Amino acid sequence: MRDVPNDLPHDVPDQDQDQGQGQAQGQDRPGGREPGAKGLRCLVTGATGYIGGRLVPELLAAGHTVRCLARTPDKLRDHPWAGEAEIVRGDVTDPVSVGAALQGIDVAYYLVHALGTGHDFAATDRRAARTFAEQAKAAGVRRIVYLGGLTPAGVPESELSPHLRSRAEVGRILLDSGVPTAVLRAAVIIGSGSASFEMLRYLTERLPVMVTPSWVRTSLQPIAVRDVLRYLVGCARLPDDVSRAFDIGGADVLTYRDMMQRYAAVAGLPRRLIMPVPVLTPRLSSHWVGLVTPVPASIARPLAESLRHEVVCHERDIARYVPDPPGGPMTFDRSAELALRRIQQAQVSTRWSSASVAGAPSDPLPTDPDWAGGSLYTDERELTVDAPRESLWRVIEGIGGENGWYSFPLAWAVRGRLDRLVGGVGLRRGRRDAQHLRVGDSLDFWRVEEIEPGRLLRLRAEMRLPGLAWLELRADRNEKGLTVYRQRALFHPQGLLGHAYWWGISPFHASVFGGMARNIVRTAGGSATGRREPTGVGRG
């Protein structure tokens, strides 16, 4: 099962920590500790994803102890809160690992789904939810909290988007578990780094005049990420006899068109000219979003499908148990302003791309130099650098995003566009932070697999390839104490097409990989005083 990657309306919303926001409004943090309250033992699934990665520190701030269930625990090691939480390996589709993780737990947060894993994603969601529900009951868990999607009133479930139907089904399964369950249902959630907010931001900023799908006229009730976090944390202490779904929403009911115009005002942009047309189907509009924004069509399509119907809250019963802050829920303008500020200050703790891409390779780099897994092609570059090692490392860690890849920009741009055309993530994901990386971060069409500060950055490719690929960048010193830049690209081909792919692009390695090495050294403020640039060869 995948960790939650984004804030698709009616699928799984996003949240944003926005530290300092409470002080600006005279409020405590959403997860503030209640005086005299005893901390609970909480399990968070999907902690490597966008939602779980932000919920964990709020639960810790509320005085709870937290256990995280993750398929790849190493992805959590660089999070600021990693030392305060217990991290265990497991998958929600595996009863044994789920059962073990739920032992001794008071409150279990279910924050994973199978979005984008194929046509049978609903069956995977169903199986995982049943496994989790059965194991929670067996372990004596006191409460389950699930973040789902707000469904339109009066619309038969058969007419809902496949993803929204699956979210509703998961909610029912958890409610039928025999464990008191809170299902929070939200529409679009506004927060820095979320798929919904980045889609809104890029569409508005890049298109002063736009022809849009008809769903931009659909009414919805966006909610600030801070309010979502407050509800999630507050639900941990619901009375034991409360087991139901709750609608959660913000202060405003708006159309998507209204949101674009109001974002433009918050961002200081001129009013946008927006012309809705009925001919753009969800499929076509998702490709339109993919062309303009960093959000790929595979994520944009469920969003577009879900916006066909009006989604507003029909009750606010949650306020009886989790009281509103002074002044009520946050307005759209305020939440957009805060999210934009976090982006401008480079203080986005997680992004919609935090979760792994469905179908992307996750195999670790083979460590055996005579790897028995088949052919492994390599391209290695080494330069002795007339610059401090620290300067070289700053350039290495700052690679990608707006800084680019230091060689043949047109080739990188073309490769990114080709990847988008075949359903990949392309280059537009950029970086979470302009200067610092951590394990698990997405970086354009790579993901950080390993980082040793000051020395090693290893990236694993998530673009569409006939094989597995890695890129290693190192800042080393030789026996004379001189700075050495080492660069290694590795490719494990799959089938004949994989071998053909490597040999087809090998003539460009001197320009792409060789240019990268030289330009990284130059950007570090030094010059190459010696070099070794062998061409990679295949190993059987």
Side-chain angles (χ1 to χ4, degrees):
M1 286 287 287
R2 298 182 62 208
D3 303 330
V4 175
N6 55 62
D7 64 320
L8 300 182
H10 330 303
D11 277 0
V12 181
D14 111 324
Q15 58 269 65
D16 185 10
Q17 192 161 318
D18 281 336
Q19 294 174 356
Q21 179 175 327
Q23 287 83 349
Q25 295 189 341
Q27 302 171 12
D28 294 329
R29 287 172 57 95
R33 185 190 299 265
E34 297 179 20
K38 181 181 178 181
L40 301 171
R41 295 162 296 180
C42 301
L43 175 73
V44 176
T45 62
T48 59
Y50 190 83
I51 290 179
R54 297 190 177 218
L55 177 61
V56 170
E58 298 297 341
L59 291 171
L60 291 169
H64 304 307
T65 58
V66 178
R67 178 183 297 160
C68 301
L69 178 69
R71 291 173 300 168
T72 311
D74 282 349
K75 289 183 179 180
L76 297 176
R77 75 171 199 211
D78 294 335
H79 284 254
W81 45 262
E84 302 177 59
E86 179 188 1
I87 301 171
V88 299
R89 186 184 302 275
D91 190 296
V92 290
T93 60
D94 173 32
V96 174
S97 62
V98 170
L102 286 166
Q103 292 301 313
I105 291 298
D106 298 312
V107 182
Y109 287 87
Y110 192 76
L111 302 174
V112 294
H113 67 78
L115 173 67
T117 58
H119 296 297
D120 61 346
F121 76 92
T124 304
D125 270 339
R126 187 181 308 118
R127 183 174 70 255
R130 286 174 178 167
T131 297
F132 194 83
E134 292 168 359
Q135 295 300 320
K137 177 68 172 177
V141 171
R142 292 170 51 188
R143 173 161 301 281
I144 296 172
V145 181
Y146 170 61
L147 187 57
L150 187 58
T151 55
V155 177
E157 192 167 299
S158 60
E159 296 183 15
L160 301 178
S161 72
H163 297 283
L164 181 52
R165 287 200 302 271
S166 181
R167 301 277 65 72
E169 182 182 25
V170 168
R172 288 196 300 272
I173 291 171
L174 297 177
L175 284 167
D176 292 340
S177 65
V179 178
T181 298
V183 174
L184 300 183
R185 304 188 299 192
V188 173
I189 298 183
I190 304 300
S192 64
S194 73
S196 285
F197 187 72
E198 290 204 4
M199 189 178 99
L200 174 72
R201 180 167 71 99
Y202 279 91
L203 286 176
T204 308
E205 291 180 354
R206 293 182 174 179
L207 299 175
V209 178
M210 65 186 96
V211 176
T212 62
S214 57
W215 50 255
V216 301
R217 294 177 293 194
T218 301
S219 294
L220 52 96
Q221 192 165 355
I223 180 172
V225 124
R226 181 178 182 84
D227 287 327
V228 176
L229 280 173
R230 180 169 52 82
Y231 290 132
L232 283 169
V233 176
C235 279
R237 297 194 182 277
L238 289 177
D240 292 344
D241 61 349
V242 176
S243 186
R244 53 164 291 185
F246 294 95
D247 292 352
I248 58 173
D252 305 302
V253 175
L254 305 166
T255 66
Y256 202 88
R257 180 176 182 169
D258 294 333
M259 289 168 60
M260 287 191 284
Q261 296 291 16
R262 290 172 76 159
Y263 173 81
V266 168
L269 301 171
R271 185 173 179 81
R272 275 23 198 167
L273 179 59
I274 303 171
M275 298 174 289
V277 295
V279 296
L280 287 177
T281 64
R283 179 177 185 139
L284 288 175
S285 60
S286 67
H287 287 293
W288 167 67
V289 170
L291 288 172
V292 178
T293 80
V295 181
S298 59
I299 290 177
R301 184 171 180 179
L303 187 152
E305 289 176 337
S306 299
L307 287 174
R308 290 180 298 169
H309 305 289
E310 179 179 284
V311 279
V312 298
C313 296
H314 296 281
E315 47 85 9
R316 293 204 64 253
D317 296 348
I318 189 65
R320 294 165 49 192
Y321 305 100
V322 185
D324 288 335
M330 193 177 295
T331 65
F332 171 84
D333 290 1
R334 179 61 174 157
S335 59
E337 176 188 341
L338 289 167
L340 187 57
R341 182 189 304 169
R342 300 290 289 181
I343 293 170
Q344 292 170 341
Q345 295 174 346
Q347 295 179 339
V348 180
S349 58
T350 63
R351 298 177 65 227
W352 61 271
S353 56
S354 295
S356 298
V357 175
S362 58
D363 305 57
L365 177 69
T367 55
D368 183 353
D370 297 317
W371 188 37
S375 297
L376 185 64
Y377 292 110
T378 64
D379 180 282
E380 300 183 50
R381 313 272 162 173
E382 180 180 304
L383 297 173
T384 304
V385 186
D386 184 20
R389 184 177 178 181
E390 293 75 16
S391 299
L392 176 60
W393 176 251
R394 281 195 294 271
V395 178
I396 291 174
E397 192 176 11
I399 200 168
E402 294 185 1
N403 291 328
W405 293 88
Y406 296 100
S407 69
F408 209 167
L410 179 60
W412 287 94
V414 170
R415 185 64 183 87
R417 290 192 180 98
L418 289 175
D419 195 54
R420 298 280 283 204
L421 286 175
V422 297
V425 295
L427 282 174
R428 292 183 181 170
R429 291 191 303 182
R431 300 170 53 105
R432 176 191 58 83
D433 185 285
Q435 296 178 319
H436 303 292
L437 295 172
R438 64 191 184 201
V439 169
D441 272 359
S442 61
L443 179 58
D444 293 330
F445 49 38
W446 305 88
R447 189 169 296 276
V448 179
E449 181 175 276
E450 181 59 75
I451 185 167
E452 298 177 16
R455 181 174 176 269
L456 167 68
L457 173 63
R458 180 186 301 137
L459 308 175
R460 188 185 70 247
E462 289 191 335
M463 74 281 277
R464 297 297 177 90
L465 288 170
L468 307 175
W470 297 266
L471 178 63
E472 283 188 346
L473 312 177
R474 292 177 180 266
D476 288 335
R477 286 195 179 97
N478 62 17
E479 63 280 0
K480 297 180 180 180
L482 300 175
T483 302
V484 177
Y485 172 70
R486 293 188 173 97
Q487 175 182 297
R488 184 169 66 145
L490 304 100
F491 181 68
H492 169 48
Q494 293 178 347
L496 183 60
L497 181 59
H499 291 277
Y501 173 83
W502 175 265
W503 290 111
I505 65 171
S506 59
F508 301 98
H509 287 177
S511 297
V512 176
F513 292 131
M516 175 188 291
R518 292 188 294 271
N519 290 329
I520 284 177
V521 169
R522 187 178 299 116
T523 305
S527 60
T529 59
R531 67 184 61 189
R532 178 171 64 87
E533 300 184 6
T535 301
V537 295
R539 294 203 302 269

